[in-house]
Amino acid sequence: MTSTPAELPESVVLAEGEGGLPVVRVATAVATGEVYLHGAHVTAWTPAGSDPVIWMSGESRFTPGEAIRGGIPICFPWFGAGREPGLAPPPHGFARLAGWRLLGAEERDGEVTVTLRLTDADTAGVKAAAAWPHPFTATYAVTFGRELTVALTVENTGDAEISFEEALHTYLAVADVRTTAVQGLDGATYLDKAPGAGPDHVTQEGDVTFTEETDRVYASSGTVVVVDGGSGRRIGIAKEGSANTVVWNPWVDKAAAMPDFGDDEWPAMVCVETANALDDAVVLAAGQRHTMTARYTVTR
Ligand code: BG6
């Protein structure tokens, strides 16, 4: 069922966004938010009385075939370069480069859930989709309210086993990453992907703090809290169906090397990603489905 704009609740509008791309905008008494059909990409969520929680780059492209920079990119069906040769480029899979279908939007108790879908049949012509030629249905439910909940369900619609990686690659707005800490990963092991880091798994001691480029894939299925020392805000991220938490900030050199990321923007963001990657890739037998959920809560 595809909703026409006429069937959407009054709090939801399907509009033309940046670059002429279709965007679903939500405005209720408790929150505003938006999600582009391109990549099913959430680009905003602001609970009433709060500053924007989701960070967007001022240099982002809004172009078919290119990823939006900031927001919540969906990485699927591979993460980074992928686990097999021949998947990337592009990194992080093709889901963030594809146009998703709007299935509908529903308002309940002041919260609005927008549902989008991508299937293998929708990926003809999408960069690198042919590198992962498996039947699937991906359904993404985004609930904008006092909390933000994003749930990605992937179903294996073929008759052979599939395996995939996935990440909800959320860019969170912070006053300054240098005075930000991520709590909840103490004792977790991580793979360090930053330049110069060794291949071994390392154990986190205490909070994660930021003094250089940080790019880590943690083995962790627990809740984390981003403590923003500059503003006093705390962003909680609770999750289900996810074995990994990725923490990323590009710092000076990588920011400068990315054409769609401002050279001076890196202090204002941190990515805390809800993921199943590398050895924790999801394996689905024919007909099976898997849901990965992340729920964001803001407190001061
Ligand atoms: C992170 C990766 O998840 O995403 C980093 O761990 C990567 O290595 C970052 O640089 C951004 O990726 P991209 O493809 O959006 O530039």
Side-chain angles (χ1 to χ4, degrees):
M1 176 199 71
T2 304
S3 287
T4 66
E7 292 166 331
L8 296 171
E10 272 182 19
S11 52
V12 181
V13 174
L14 178 60
E16 190 175 286
E18 300 280 343
L21 298 175
V23 61
V24 178
R25 295 208 169 101
V26 173
T28 70
V30 300
T32 58
E34 59 181 30
V35 53
Y36 277 75
L37 273 50
H38 177 59
H41 203 120
V42 173
T43 51
W45 170 57
T46 307
S50 189
D51 290 326
V53 180
I54 301 294
W55 181 87
M56 278 296 299
S57 170
E59 304 294 322
S60 178
R61 297 165 174 153
F62 288 87
T63 311
E66 302 288 345
I68 293 171
R69 176 67 68 190
I72 310 183
I74 296 178
C75 308
F76 172 85
W78 61 88
F79 179 79
R83 293 167 305 143
E84 301 154 17
L87 292 176
H92 292 331
F94 53 78
R96 64 177 177 162
L97 309 179
W100 291 52
R101 277 177 294 131
L102 174 63
L103 290 193
E106 200 179 348
E107 181 164 357
R108 192 177 297 160
D109 302 329
E111 293 191 334
V112 171
T113 300
V114 180
T115 308
L116 303 109
R117 179 163 287 168
L118 182 74
T119 75
D120 52 292
D122 306 320
T123 62
V126 176
K127 215 184 282 176
W132 196 80
H134 304 291
F136 73 92
T137 296
T139 307
Y140 192 46
V142 184
T143 301
F144 296 102
R146 269 183 230 289
E147 300 178 346
L148 172 70
T149 305
V150 284
L152 177 66
T153 300
V154 176
E155 181 176 353
N156 178 358
T157 54
D159 49 20
E161 182 179 278
I162 61 170
S163 76
F164 55 86
E165 296 173 287
E166 55 184 352
L168 301 169
H169 190 307
T170 306
Y171 288 72
L172 296 167
V174 292
D176 191 327
V177 74
R178 292 164 291 195
T179 52
T180 295
V182 180
Q183 297 179 339
L185 294 167
D186 186 21
T189 56
Y190 63 89
L191 176 70
D192 196 339
K193 299 203 301 167
D200 294 340
H201 282 72
V202 188
T203 300
Q204 177 67 38
E205 290 178 18
D207 297 347
V208 183
T209 53
F210 300 87
T211 55
E212 58 186 340
E213 181 177 339
T214 303
D215 190 355
R216 301 176 181 174
V217 182
Y218 286 89
S220 173
S221 50
T223 296
V224 300
V225 180
V226 175
V227 181
D228 180 351
S231 72
R233 183 161 79 173
R234 298 166 69 89
I235 305 170
I237 305 150
K239 57 184 195 155
E240 287 165 30
S242 158
N244 302 113
T245 296
V246 181
V247 179
W248 179 63
N249 180 281
W251 219 254
V252 178
D253 292 348
K254 191 156 189 177
M258 289 189 285
D260 58 345
F261 194 112
D263 291 0
D264 301 327
E265 288 185 321
W266 60 269
M269 52 69 62
V270 62
C271 283
V272 178
E273 310 169 33
T274 295
N276 289 303
L278 307 167
D279 291 347
D280 292 305
V282 178
V283 179
L284 291 181
Q288 277 189 332
R289 69 179 64 175
H290 174 271
T291 299
M292 178 172 74
T293 304
R295 184 163 52 84
Y296 303 86
T297 313
V298 177
T299 48
R300 275 217 182 254

